[in-house]
Amino acid sequence: TTEIYTLSLHDALPICYVFECAVGTTFTLDFEAFLFVPIALSSTTLADPDAVLHDPVWMLEAIHRVGDRLTVFCEDGRANAPAFRHGLLSLLEDSFVPVRARADFAIFHPKLWLIRFRNGADQSVLLRAVILSRNLSASRCWDTLVSLEGIPNPKQVVADSHDLASLVRALPELVCRGRLSDERKQQIEELASDAERTPFFAPEPFDTGTRASFVALGLDNQRIWNPGKGGRILGISPFLSDDALRWLAKLGPDRILVSREETLDSCDRAALADWRCFGLHDAAGTDAQVGESESVDRSCDVLHGLHAKALAVENGSRTAWWLGSANLTSPVKSGTNVEFLVRLEGRTRDVGIEIGRAHV
């Protein structure tokens, strides 16, 4: 968790940029992991960020630096109580906001960070969008993370970034308990406005000249995810449903599926018949898998196993990858859950499914 949040939230920035504000989304939230976020956002030169967690003076300074400019939205009822009382958590109370999806029986499930940095010399803005399959927790499951950066263009709206802006802009409307301050609402609206004017280009080994595009589900009842068709399909998901597998099987004739062994065992044999199925090897830590539907009482619990979500569509010389929060299940097929995905494209010889399968 320390490495993920240090690398994705603040590291590798030009030295002239400073943190300005951030919004995050998660399905489950571990408060002890939450404490590390202001540390990661405020500390640019720490050799050992973990040490700050045991230094209340450093922690207090980090919270005071960024606490009023950091807002995290979490599915209502999915925040895990800390294993011990920590007085500093009360200082982050306004930074934590419970939300609910609009549709009945749906959940708020996106994992996103959108962060704005400002250049102290010329006051220019840099946005970082981090799209994960990981919740804000101490999990050690296998997960994915995509970190993208872009510079807003105040004169041009970017169609590929529309759904990123839409999700951020919708967050205040999903609040189910308490209220957001006017200052936080203004920060969120400004982040959404910047996002819709920012092109985010794919990282290597994808085509760096192509824009990343985003899909937000669960905000509009009419929005259905359309991954596109190809000759070969790779699905990676810890949770599956039979109807989603049948739906995805129509995308291409050659289909590969990677999931948890117990998940595959619970699926209908007819639904799996269209797929070549693989489970994560025991040596990868599947001995203590914990699902997202299960509660974790303590942040020190070590979680293992597959938690990554991805769909790759290989179409001749080009391959597109969809990465983010979406399991290959019924709510994603119907678009009821609030989910968030990023699409990256590249040459099949660089990012094709055979390469992806080897890494899995």
Side-chain angles (χ1 to χ4, degrees):
T1 301
T2 297
E3 293 176 355
I4 283 181
Y5 287 113
T6 302
L7 291 173
S8 63
L9 299 188
H10 210 162
D11 272 13
L13 279 172
I15 196 170
C16 53
Y17 282 92
V18 295
F19 168 76
E20 190 162 270
C21 64
V23 62
T25 66
T26 181
F27 174 59
T28 60
L29 182 144
D30 181 287
F31 277 110
E32 291 172 30
F34 188 22
L35 274 175
F36 189 78
V37 175
I39 296 169
L41 289 172
S42 64
S43 306
T44 56
T45 58
L46 289 176
D48 184 8
D50 260 333
V52 179
L53 290 172
H54 304 285
D55 187 330
V57 175
W58 264 106
M59 290 178 64
L60 181 62
E61 181 178 348
I63 292 171
H64 276 303
R65 282 183 184 179
V66 307
D68 60 347
R69 295 174 287 146
L70 163 67
T71 309
V72 178
F73 296 85
C74 173
E75 167 81 355
D76 187 31
R78 291 290 181 169
N80 299 317
F84 58 92
R85 293 184 61 185
H86 207 308
L88 291 175
L89 281 172
S90 63
L91 299 178
L92 288 171
E93 184 177 356
D94 291 339
S95 298
F96 164 70
V97 184
V99 292
R100 290 179 186 164
R102 290 169 177 164
D104 293 337
F105 309 109
I107 60 173
F108 179 84
H109 197 250
K111 299 97 165 62
L112 167 71
W113 287 95
L114 183 62
I115 312 161
R116 181 169 63 214
F117 301 94
R118 191 172 294 275
N119 188 313
D122 61 14
Q123 296 302 299
S124 61
V125 169
L126 176 72
L127 285 191
R128 174 173 289 180
V130 185
I131 304 93
L132 312 94
S133 64
R134 176 182 294 264
N135 292 300
L136 182 49
S137 73
S139 167
R140 296 188 182 180
C141 292
W142 288 66
D143 274 296
T144 61
L145 179 152
V146 178
S147 183
L148 306 168
E149 291 179 355
I151 297 174
N153 180 349
K155 299 181 180 180
Q156 183 178 2
V157 173
V158 178
D160 288 328
S161 300
H162 173 270
D163 277 27
L164 171 60
S166 295
L167 175 61
V168 173
R169 186 167 280 130
L171 292 173
E173 302 172 8
L174 303 179
V175 176
C176 61
R177 289 190 288 116
R179 64 178 298 274
L180 282 176
S181 67
D182 292 339
E183 291 77 13
R184 290 185 188 275
K185 289 181 181 178
Q186 182 65 27
Q187 289 173 11
I188 292 168
E189 175 55 37
E190 290 175 357
L191 277 170
S193 180
D194 282 341
E196 67 186 357
R197 292 172 171 79
T198 302
F200 295 92
F201 290 93
E204 294 182 343
F206 297 94
D207 288 349
T208 55
T210 63
R211 290 177 181 171
S213 59
F214 307 96
V215 166
L217 302 174
L219 304 178
D220 182 347
N221 292 334
Q222 305 301 315
R223 184 64 185 272
I224 302 297
W225 179 30
N226 180 16
K229 294 187 176 183
R232 179 180 294 167
I233 311 298
L234 168 66
I236 303 174
S237 179
F239 304 104
L240 304 167
S241 69
D242 297 335
D243 61 336
L245 290 177
R246 294 187 180 98
W247 164 59
L248 293 169
K250 300 175 183 177
L251 299 182
D254 185 0
R255 296 167 292 268
I256 304 165
L257 184 64
V258 179
S259 187
R260 296 175 172 178
E261 291 185 5
E262 63 268 33
T263 300
L264 293 169
D265 289 341
S266 68
C267 290
D268 182 74
R269 297 297 96 185
L272 291 177
D274 295 326
W275 298 81
R276 287 186 282 150
C277 300
F278 298 86
L280 206 62
H281 194 280
D282 287 344
T286 57
D287 57 307
Q289 295 176 341
V290 174
E292 288 181 319
S293 61
E294 297 174 300
S295 167
V296 181
D297 295 327
R298 299 176 55 193
S299 64
C300 59
D301 288 340
V302 180
L303 313 182
H304 299 280
L306 181 70
H307 192 252
K309 295 101 167 155
L311 184 72
V313 181
E314 185 178 293
N315 192 359
S317 63
R318 307 292 296 173
T319 299
W321 282 80
W322 295 90
L323 301 160
S325 66
N327 289 295
L328 304 182
T329 55
S330 301
V332 172
K333 174 180 178 291
S334 61
T336 53
N337 280 356
V338 180
E339 305 278 3
F340 192 70
L341 298 131
V342 60
R343 181 185 184 276
L344 304 173
E345 185 177 331
R347 297 177 297 183
T348 296
R349 67 183 187 184
D350 297 326
V351 298
I353 288 172
E354 289 299 329
I355 295 175
R357 188 172 66 179
H359 283 294
V360 172

